[in-house]
Amino acid sequence: FPSHDKAGKDIYEHDIVSHNGKIFICVWAEMYSSFAFVEDKENVGYTYFSMCDKDKLKIIGNIYDNIELLNKK
């Protein structure tokens, strides 16, 4: 990590990304020593970057500047 989205943009912790119509937050999963994506701020239900289709992954913001994106669920 970092890796990148479909536009070649680097993905960092706390970025908000969309993938297959869902919105995720990039987080550090301490128990797995790996970066992962979660669907909510409580970090429930990890999805690992390696499991995502990189051609459908898009950075749409971050939790500091675009918190409203997480309320659109």
Side-chain angles (χ1 to χ4, degrees):
F1 226 81
S3 201
H4 58 275
D5 71 355
K6 66 182 183 179
K9 239 177 121 174
D10 288 341
I11 300 171
Y12 294 97
E13 186 173 20
H14 303 135
D15 277 348
I16 300 172
V17 299
S18 65
H19 184 266
N20 285 336
K22 291 186 176 183
I23 294 176
F24 297 93
I25 305 166
C26 180
V27 298
W28 176 251
E30 186 68 39
M31 77 176 359
Y32 300 109
S33 298
S34 175
F35 283 98
F37 297 120
V38 293
E39 288 190 62
D40 58 49
K41 292 177 265 189
E42 284 76 38
N43 296 341
V44 177
Y46 293 110
T47 298
Y48 293 94
F49 186 81
S50 60
M51 298 170 63
C52 292
D53 180 350
K54 310 318 182 268
D55 293 332
K56 295 181 180 176
L57 192 63
K58 180 180 179 182
I59 298 169
I60 58 173
N62 64 64
I63 64 169
Y64 304 108
D65 299 327
N66 311 100
I67 195 73
E68 72 280 357
L69 294 172
L70 301 178
N71 298 325
K72 291 187 174 183
K73 292 181 169 190

